Amino acid sequence: MHVDADGEPTGRENATAFTGFVLLGFSDVPHLQWVLFGIFLFMYLTTLTSNGIIIVITKVDSGLQTPMYFFLRNFSFLEICYVTTTVPRMLMDLCTLRGSISALACATQMCFSLTMGSTECLLLTAMAYDRYVAICHPLRYAVIMSRKFCAQLVAGSWLGGIPAVIGQTWGVFSVPFCGSNRIKHFFCDIPPVLKLACGDTSVSEKALYVAAVVYVVVPSMLIIVSYGKIVSTILKMSSSSGRAKAFSTCSSHLVVVVLFYGTATITYLQPKPSQSGGAGKVTSLFYTILIPTLNPLIYTLRNKDIVVALRKLLSKLLTLEIWQEDEKALGTLGSSLHAPFEGRVFFNVLILSVHCPSLVLWLDLATKKTLDVSMMMARAELTREGKVCSVRFFILLGFSDLPNLQGFLFIYLVILTGNGLIVVVTRLDPALHRPMYFFLANFSALEICYVSVTLPRILFNLWTQKRAISILGCATQLCFFLVLGATESFLLAVMSYDRYVAICNPLHYPLVMNPKKCAQLAAGCLLAGIPVQIGQRRQIFSLRFCDSEQIKHFFCDIPPILKIACGDTAAHEASVYVVAMLFVAVAFLLILVSYSKVVSVIVRLPTARGRAKAFSTCSSHLLLVLLFYGSATITYLRPKSSHSPGTDKLVSLFYTIVTPMFNPVIYSLRNRDVIAAQEKLLLKM
């Protein structure tokens, strides 16, 4: 065996024995392993789902059968393929902590990654040319951008880079590798792999720069020229509405171009001395993961045609389910009503009931015909048979009086992020492995579940403007809402008990609030309310609803549901008060007793500093108690005569949305331990 002056193996022998690499990925932050795994898994699933939705929408919707959306469909498919070349491997490495990869697998990943990257560069250029023809030559657009030409452009984008990429991959892996086999990256990319090569790599580096110029610089210059002509044409338009519409068709594409070409240029065209492993990983995350995730969001939020098509698709899926359930309810009449529907292509059905004289069936078929006569005959036959009129679906009016109220998505993301951050911080920081923060982590996880019972449905209703919800869906939402609400009441009481023991009996605190006891208290909070709340939900939905199907609320809650029930609801209202007293008033009284003892002990402390520190550990919890119990008491314990839809919705917003949103803010601003833990986590990242 030949060795050099330092006693290390020479390149030839080591290259012969070389069999594979080790992808270091994010091994420098092992404490964030599962956090990163969860984030990247979520982003990967989001990328697959959202880009898949764009593919389906642009394929199914007749209004999107234009060259622009043909390219967008191919671009979304490309993003799915692109992200699949890197993320599954990265997730496996994060899960197993084994980054080993064979030379053949590394070369294959590099080849596919470069192929997808070059295809994206060329496809973005083709999309820019499409916008140039559409705006600068609108009368010739249909002739120039024919179906055949569009297919040729897409095929050329896919095939254009393959020969160069294969040659470049062969050139990189024909270089011998000696010394370390550790790639400081999360996938096999050219710059980090070339750093491990021994011998002269100048040829491979020059080939990389040439390829980057051909596939990054030249397409970006063509895009700039196209948009230069587009802007000059738009500015010459006489009407401001025409200019705004023309700009809107380009803005989404421009955002994606800037994000992709900016990060790709930094990665492949920066000087070799300025390249670093950490910066390379962060930059690569943009064009390999972040952009494919944001692509559907950019095109959805900034393109009205996509938004309208998505609403239409969701409406069809929703109303198809409603129609299928309603056909089952018709029984023997279903066969007689089914025949006229044969051959239908598209329909948008809003069915409130077909066997209730007080409700209406609207049909909008692709044939533009209605079957009102058939439905009237169905109602008449059911009425003659003496069947009971009962609502099968509710309509959640929600914020229909405020149709432009679209800020709930931002609020939901803030709640998920803020409470999720508290869960992660209290889990990772050893200084927060105490009962107080164990309950806080459970409380934050509960807030995420609690808000997810109502807010996604609100967002769905605001997005589609279709507010129908089946009785089963309504009962399920009510059941989960009540169970989680009861859990929150008990958990707040347990958190106050924890503060009582910590301040009033500090010497016994580790013994009393041991890990087993804390786990039992948390489990008891979750399980205690389930039997009662399931029974209450069953009692509520044993009522008949025949007067109205409209629930004047944004989710299925007991008071607004009882308002639309027919018959005597006194017994049900009494049970609501009893349960509210049990889960709200009793828990609140326990909290008052705990804090009265806490305050009596604090005021007797000899030092002002000790009193301030003791109060600071309780203040955050007290604020949440006042927000939650105050709004819950107003909702469930005030007299029936004082209920009004507007007031009910406003008060419900506090304990369903405001409290979960402010929980992280309150604990972050008023708790130094949590602040310090968050700062440590950010520094590590």
Side-chain angles (χ1 to χ4, degrees):
M1 180 177 178
H2 302 283
V3 296
D4 59 13
D6 297 324
E8 295 292 334
T10 60
R12 184 170 301 175
E13 287 79 359
N14 200 35
T16 304
F18 187 85
T19 57
F21 300 98
V22 176
L23 290 168
L24 296 182
F26 301 94
S27 58
D28 52 335
V29 283
H31 54 284
L32 295 177
Q33 170 198 354
W34 293 109
V35 176
L36 293 173
F37 179 83
I39 292 172
F40 292 137
L41 177 61
F42 173 76
M43 294 180 73
Y44 182 53
L45 295 177
T46 301
T47 302
L48 297 184
T49 305
S50 52
N51 282 285
I53 288 173
I54 286 184
I55 293 172
V56 172
I57 289 174
T58 54
K59 184 68 176 176
V60 170
D61 195 283
S62 57
L64 302 182
Q65 304 306 311
T66 59
M68 174 181 173
Y69 297 108
F70 172 75
F71 289 121
L72 177 58
R73 179 164 65 249
N74 281 272
F75 185 72
S76 294
F77 176 71
L78 173 64
E79 295 286 53
I80 292 174
C81 298
Y82 196 20
V83 80
T84 303
T85 60
T86 57
V87 176
R89 175 80 206 189
M90 181 172 58
L91 292 174
M92 186 186 74
D93 292 341
L94 283 169
C95 188
T96 62
L97 293 179
R98 296 177 182 176
S100 58
I101 183 173
S102 66
L104 177 60
C106 188
T108 303
Q109 186 185 53
M110 180 184 291
C111 185
F112 276 100
S113 175
L114 293 175
T115 300
M116 300 303 166
S118 62
T119 302
E120 186 156 341
C121 291
L122 297 175
L123 190 57
L124 286 171
T125 307
M127 294 169 76
Y129 177 71
D130 169 73
R131 291 299 83 208
Y132 159 72
V133 176
I135 294 172
C136 299
H137 303 282
L139 298 180
R140 301 174 57 196
Y141 180 66
V143 177
I144 296 175
M145 301 303 294
S146 63
R147 185 184 296 271
K148 181 180 178 181
F149 184 61
C150 290
Q152 290 172 345
L153 285 175
V154 170
S157 300
W158 279 94
L159 301 175
I162 291 179
V165 166
I166 292 176
Q168 198 169 24
T169 304
W170 181 84
V172 169
F173 282 89
S174 63
V175 177
F177 294 94
C178 54
S180 175
N181 66 339
R182 297 173 177 269
I183 300 175
K184 295 180 180 179
H185 215 293
F186 58 87
F187 75 102
C188 291
D189 201 7
I190 294 179
V193 172
L194 281 180
K195 286 182 180 180
L196 304 180
C198 53
D200 185 17
T201 60
S202 58
V203 175
S204 298
E205 290 170 5
K206 289 176 183 177
L208 172 62
Y209 278 100
V210 171
V213 169
V214 172
Y215 292 103
V216 178
V217 178
V218 173
S220 63
M221 294 301 296
L222 292 174
I223 292 173
I224 291 172
V225 171
S226 298
Y227 274 107
K229 293 183 177 292
I230 287 172
V231 171
S232 65
T233 301
I234 290 175
L235 293 177
K236 294 175 185 177
M237 293 181 178
S238 56
S239 66
S240 57
S241 61
R243 290 194 295 271
K245 185 176 181 181
F247 271 123
S248 68
T249 62
C250 306
S251 57
S252 302
H253 180 253
L254 267 176
V255 171
V256 174
V257 166
V258 171
L259 285 172
F260 180 79
Y261 278 100
T263 52
T265 301
I266 293 172
T267 300
Y268 295 105
L269 291 178
Q270 64 175 328
K272 185 177 179 180
S274 64
Q275 294 177 354
S276 66
K281 283 190 287 188
V282 173
T283 307
S284 299
L285 282 174
F286 272 86
Y287 66 87
T288 58
I289 300 176
L290 187 61
I291 295 174
T293 305
L294 294 179
N295 168 42
L297 186 63
I298 293 170
Y299 275 98
T300 302
L301 294 180
R302 303 185 66 87
N303 191 303
K304 292 182 179 179
D305 294 335
I306 294 286
V307 173
V308 171
L310 182 57
R311 286 179 175 174
K312 284 165 61 178
L313 179 63
L314 291 174
S315 299
K316 287 175 183 178
L317 293 174
L318 174 66
T319 53
L320 176 60
E321 178 186 352
I322 295 175
W323 171 250
Q324 289 173 343
E325 291 193 19
D326 194 76
E327 276 188 328
K328 293 177 183 177
L330 284 174
T332 55
L333 291 174
S335 57
S336 64
L337 292 175
H338 186 72
F341 285 85
E342 302 213 354
R344 64 186 183 271
V345 181
F346 295 105
F347 56 90
N348 182 14
V349 187
L350 174 57
I351 299 179
L352 303 179
S353 178
V354 297
H355 54 287
C356 247
S358 61
L359 303 178
V360 181
L361 167 66
W362 294 93
L363 294 173
D364 181 16
L365 303 176
T367 56
K368 302 301 180 183
K369 296 180 181 180
T370 60
L371 299 175
D372 294 336
V373 175
S374 299
M375 305 317 299
M376 289 173 64
M377 291 174 62
R379 295 194 197 100
E381 185 170 341
L382 286 164
T383 303
R384 285 196 301 271
E385 292 177 2
K387 293 194 175 182
V388 178
C389 172
S390 179
V391 173
R392 295 181 58 80
F393 295 90
F394 295 120
I395 303 296
L396 287 170
L397 295 182
F399 299 97
S400 56
D401 50 338
L402 297 171
N404 295 320
L405 195 61
Q406 302 289 340
F408 284 112
L409 176 59
F410 173 75
I411 293 173
Y412 187 45
L413 294 176
V414 168
I415 292 171
L416 296 183
T417 306
N419 285 283
L421 183 61
I422 285 183
V423 173
V424 171
V425 166
T426 53
R427 180 75 177 86
L428 294 179
D429 197 301
L432 301 183
H433 291 173
R434 288 180 281 165
M436 174 181 173
Y437 298 107
F438 170 77
F439 291 123
L440 176 58
N442 279 271
F443 186 76
S444 294
L446 174 65
E447 295 286 52
I448 292 174
C449 298
Y450 193 34
V451 80
S452 296
V453 173
T454 55
L455 258 180
R457 183 77 209 191
I458 296 174
L459 295 172
F460 177 79
N461 292 343
L462 287 171
W463 185 267
T464 63
Q465 296 298 319
K466 301 295 183 183
R467 306 173 188 277
I469 181 172
S470 66
I471 285 188
L472 178 60
C474 188
T476 303
Q477 186 186 54
L478 178 61
C479 184
F480 276 100
F481 175 76
L482 294 176
V483 169
L484 294 174
T487 303
E488 185 157 343
S489 295
F490 287 135
L491 192 56
L492 286 171
V494 167
M495 292 169 76
S496 68
Y497 174 72
D498 169 74
R499 292 298 82 210
Y500 159 73
V501 177
I503 294 172
C504 299
N505 298 289
L507 298 179
H508 294 87
Y509 184 65
L511 181 63
V512 175
M513 302 303 293
N514 57 68
K516 183 179 179 181
K517 180 71 171 293
C518 292
Q520 289 172 345
L521 287 172
C525 292
L526 179 62
L527 300 175
I530 292 179
V532 176
Q533 300 298 1
I534 290 177
Q536 192 173 29
R537 190 268 305 171
R538 183 175 181 181
Q539 185 184 27
I540 295 296
F541 283 92
S542 65
L543 293 167
R544 286 192 174 88
F545 304 92
C546 54
D547 293 332
S548 174
E549 77 289 342
Q550 295 184 348
I551 299 177
K552 295 179 180 179
H553 213 292
F554 58 88
F555 71 99
C556 291
D557 200 7
I558 294 177
I561 291 176
L562 285 179
K563 284 184 179 179
I564 62 173
C566 51
D568 185 16
T569 61
H572 300 81
E573 291 168 9
S575 70
V576 171
Y577 279 99
V578 170
V579 173
M581 289 294 294
L582 178 64
F583 291 104
V584 178
V586 173
F588 186 63
L589 285 173
L590 292 173
I591 292 173
L592 288 179
V593 171
S594 298
Y595 274 108
S596 64
K597 292 182 177 293
V598 167
V599 171
S600 67
V601 171
I602 289 176
V603 295
R604 292 200 297 266
L605 294 176
T607 63
R609 184 178 179 182
R611 290 194 294 270
K613 185 177 180 180
F615 270 122
S616 68
T617 62
C618 306
S619 57
S620 302
H621 179 253
L622 270 174
L623 284 175
L624 293 177
V625 166
L626 292 175
L627 280 173
F628 179 79
Y629 280 101
S631 53
T633 301
I634 294 172
T635 300
Y636 295 106
L637 292 179
R638 62 186 171 130
K640 183 181 178 181
S641 58
S642 63
H643 282 271
S644 67
T647 306
D648 289 345
K649 285 190 287 188
L650 181 62
V651 174
S652 298
L653 281 174
F654 273 87
Y655 64 87
T656 58
I657 297 175
V658 174
T659 302
M661 182 173 65
F662 279 104
N663 169 46
V665 178
I666 292 170
Y667 273 97
S668 297
L669 296 180
R670 302 185 65 86
N671 191 300
R672 292 181 181 178
D673 293 336
V674 175
I675 294 173
Q678 289 175 348
E679 290 176 351
K680 285 165 60 179
L681 179 62
L682 290 174
L683 288 174
K684 288 178 182 178
M685 294 178 68

